[in-house]
Amino acid sequence: MFLINCPYCGEREQVEFSCGGEAHIERPKNPSDLTDDQWADYLFMRKNIKGVQFERWNHINGCRRWFNVARNTATDEILKVYNIGESAPSISGNNPTTPSGEPVIGSGNLSSSFEKK
Amino acid sequence: MSKKISFTFDGKKYFGKENHSLAEALLDNGIFLLGRSFKYHRPRGLISAGSEEANAIVQLETGNITQPNVRATEITLYEGLKAKSQNHWPTLNLDIGSINDFLSRFFPAGFYYKTFMWPPKFWEKYEYFIRRAAGLGESPTEDDPDKYEHFHYHCDVLIVGGGISGLYAAELAAKANLKVLVLEQYPKLGGEINNQGKVSANKFRESDQNIIYQNIFSKLEKFDNVKIVTSTTVFAYMHNNYLLASQKTNNTKIREIIWKIRTKKVVLATGSIERPLTFHNNDRPGIMLSHSARKYANKGIDLGKNIIVFTNNDYAYEAAIDFKLINNENKVTVIDIRNNSKGDLIKEAKSIGIKILFNHIVTNTRGRKRINSIFVHKIDNETNKIIDNYGKISCDILCVSGGWSPTVHLFTQSRGKLIFRESDATFIPNESFQNEISVGACNGTYALEEILEEIDNKMSNLLSSFKIDIKNNNHPSLNKIKKIFYDKMKHLWIIPSNINFKKTKMFVDFQNDVTAKDIQLALKEGYRSIEHVKRYTTTGMATDQGKTSNINALGIISKLTDTPIHKLGTTTFRLPYTPVTFGALAGRHVKEFFDVERTTPMHQWHLDNNAKFEDVGQWKRAWYYPINNENMHQAVNREVKATRKGIGILDASTLGKIDIKGRDANEFLNRVYTNSWSKLGIGKCRYGLMLGDDGMVIDDGVTSRLGENHYVMTTTTGNAASVMSKLEDWLQTEWPELKVFLTSVTEQFATISINGPFATNLMQKLCVNFDFSYENFPHMSFKNIEIGGVNCRVMRISFTGEKCYEINIPSSYAQSLWSKCFEIGKDFNITPYGTEAMHVLRAEKGFVIVGQETDGSVTPVDLDMSWIVSKKKYDFIGKRALYRSDTVREDRKQLVGILTKDPNIVLEEGAQLVEEVSKPPMKMIGHITSSYHSPNLGRSIALALVKEGLKKKGKTIYAPMPTKTIEVEICDPVFIDPLNERLSA
């Protein structure tokens, strides 16, 4: 259970929050001009990144405010918390090599992370 | 002389000493055979003295407090303790299942996978026997009468382990005025100190250890910012320094406490676990890890006079020396794999008359229920091949030592990275992922002087992050510590055998009965990844989670595949470190505390009037009110009839109520509902359907306009919270330009719904001065009315099809108004009705319930409610999706009414509908969503979603049930008053 630094309340337990999925998906302003495929893309298509993902979180059992979070899904490190409406920050480091790699440190899957002394 | 405590083991009464563990008490009574092994039912005894115990797991207590798979080493003896050995039939001494041992060559790794595969149909038969054979102890079948607590704790520094390392680190943190918590898994602090006895007190490093320990401990006692808790095992290390621990209390009222700890820093001082050696028949009762045996002996337990120590390292000599010092008459022989050792302890051992056989190994053991002799061979130091037969030695106990494995479980749970240290073949912490340090034996540091120095360095680093400078932090009397030289160890992962390897029983995982030969077989069959070998052989997968076996299994794979261990990696150390009971995890969240219960202000009245309750989300809603032994059917029929003939009164307080205010409130409603809100006048109400952006119905309800920029929205009971969240989401993230403010007022207002032809009469009596004429207060309108001096919001809306007033009254006045209604309504046969009658009444009228008629795949068009979908609005949530190719399909399932040909048959909700009855599988065209007996129609009615149902009205279709096929007709879903005459009559 990780901690999230709510921009309005400060650091709180994960159980106080709910995740609203991928961030930066704007509802189209002109739905009727879109094709079925374009609309389906907005409705259903979501990224599922192993590594840094931008997500919407809501402090549902607190101030009920929404905000964005940059989270490394392979390690659950929260790299940045930023406001709704702000553009995604550029963040790198400790990113697993995809498709099946592991991050340098912080993954629950240990088998590839041994060295000799 | 300590107090005598009586306990029973396998039904026989024994006496033990105070502060002894169950394991110690059993050994003290000369009981070495404590259980049978899992697969081969081999006799087993204690292998250790701690939480790593693999063999001595018992069924503790009986009846409703019984607990399976408890490690005898972790239970402190108490008066009247009852324990039972596990995994045998009929008795521990005579176990029929031990035939498996003699048949063991028929039970190789993967036996069950291989044998019970074919033919597939037989699996159900096999399963019965396999399930019977599997499992160790028995789970309790009765309710647990004990209580369990959860305890939240925040601190600056959490120290895991109350040995010298942990306590010294605690002292340093305490001096820095930090809030420190020390958790120790055993009842007694001191760790390694507790393995030592009085006899060895003046020898070697123990003297220094003891002095230092006393020194630290006496200082620690003076700090009130340090909390030390014993008998508490930290079993999980999760994100952001969140750790869980389970405390076994001595309190009979509360059996266990789960500590939930969030801490700024963690100091892991979890020590290390001794490794067994892998040789033929290494699992007999009386074969123990050397330091565990040493602990027992130092506690005054008689393990016998003839003691063998089989080792590959110097540390086992600490045990050997103690055995000799405890009683000089003890015959102690050390069999050392190495060709020599220059260690200080070896010199000491020789000087006190301990016999040492270098270059020798134990190749076999004898003694079925307790070891009585061993076979020894000489090996060549270079090739490690057997070159000579030393012969048989009789013994009372065999102590083994394969070196130490740092307890890195919590470190790896914290997702830190390990490094493989070749010199003693151990994995030690290397790189931290979280705010944590590992010190002492769990960091692979064993010599006291090195430990103290390590803690000094690491702690000053750790404390500096608190902006605390601790200089002059010299550890106590380091100069007095006598350095002891320990020589190198030698690793033979498989001890050579004089018999064919295929015939050996060299146990690696004692609890799951996995042998070296099983691992070899898995490798032969092509398993390479350590994770696959683990799962195939089940090594490390028992309740002890491979504390003693994982490293040996790795070593064996490394040897057999000629791959360095660090390239193999290791399996993941999963939580929990030791098993945790379900009771502890559940804590107080059982029975009435399992979930939050929400009740309405009129709840007491419902209770007093014999209401039966239904759970709707967290709400307790009155379901029906039986009178004089009525059954549910009779009560509901009576309530439904009374509502259509006189007055029915419903507690509708659970409906979600959202107060909407702001400049753009009207625009907001236009965006979230399908219909148009622009022209709704002040004091008017309108029904709305809410969709998701996928076009599917997610909620419905009536919204009233209270003022120019003020509305109150009602939502379904179950969706109140999610609708509120979704609306907030749109406002905050998509439409920040809208000035709209939402407030949940669900609990601020109670709702009394008064229904029926005489509803107006009752209202008129409640508020004599108000004009209730249809002209003044028509259907779908709203009034602020003072009732009994309390301002109420009254809506004339209807969910039953009857004339209806919904009075929203501030919650604290609700119970009194509710009672008042009954007083006044007597003349009209006022009848309380519950949610079941509410369902029947609305179904008679063909009103849908979101969540019953809809399931997230139903559009307004499917519900035949196109009339509520605005064609003029440019956009609203869900609009675009209503024109997707899938949502405009004509053969979608549509809402219809269903009448059975036989009016007495009430269909089952969820029943599938077919057009043609054939042999299964039949082509289903829909299903029943609601079905009731309608007392007003005197027959059954149902609602259903049927493919192209709207076109099929009047058609006969079928509901095939297991025993019969029911003929039904598709009809209009409105069964009563289709012209809405009752609303205004």
Side-chain angles (χ1 to χ4, degrees), chain B residues 247-295:
Chain B
Q247 180 182 7
K248 308 253 180 316
T249 68
N250 294 323
N251 185 329
T252 48
K253 294 262 168 59
I254 295 165
R255 193 161 10 151
E256 279 176 73
I257 297 170
I258 297 279
W259 287 64
K260 299 174 168 181
I261 305 150
R262 184 77 75 175
T263 176
K264 292 190 182 113
K265 304 279 175 187
V266 175
V267 177
L268 296 174
T270 48
S272 55
I273 291 171
E274 202 171 12
R275 297 174 189 172
L277 289 166
T278 312
F279 54 98
H280 185 40
N281 282 325
N282 60 344
D283 66 327
R284 300 193 187 282
I287 303 182
M288 270 183 226
L289 294 168
S290 74
H291 279 256
S292 301
R294 174 184 180 224
K295 180 181 181 183

Side-chain angles (χ1 to χ4, degrees), chain B residues 46 217 266 278 400 489 519 590 596 834 858 892 904 910 947:
Chain B
L46 285 155
F217 190 67
V266 175
T278 312
V400 294
M489 54 176 55
I519 293 175
V590 290
V596 175
V858 180
R892 290 180 64 86
N904 295 318
K947 266 191 176 183

Side-chain angles (χ1 to χ4, degrees), chain B residues 543-594:
Chain B
T543 66
D544 66 332
Q545 290 275 292
K547 290 189 183 67
T548 51
S549 63
N550 279 345
I551 186 71
N552 281 348
L554 275 175
I556 289 166
I557 296 167
S558 156
K559 183 183 155 72
L560 293 174
T561 60
D562 207 17
T563 315
I565 289 186
H566 69 274
K567 290 215 169 132
L568 288 171
T570 179
T571 54
T572 311
F573 294 86
R574 299 200 189 278
L575 48 92
Y577 174 70
T578 47
V580 185
T581 61
F582 284 119
L585 291 175
R588 283 288 177 98
H589 301 281
V590 290
K591 299 190 175 151
E592 67 266 39
F593 298 121
F594 181 70

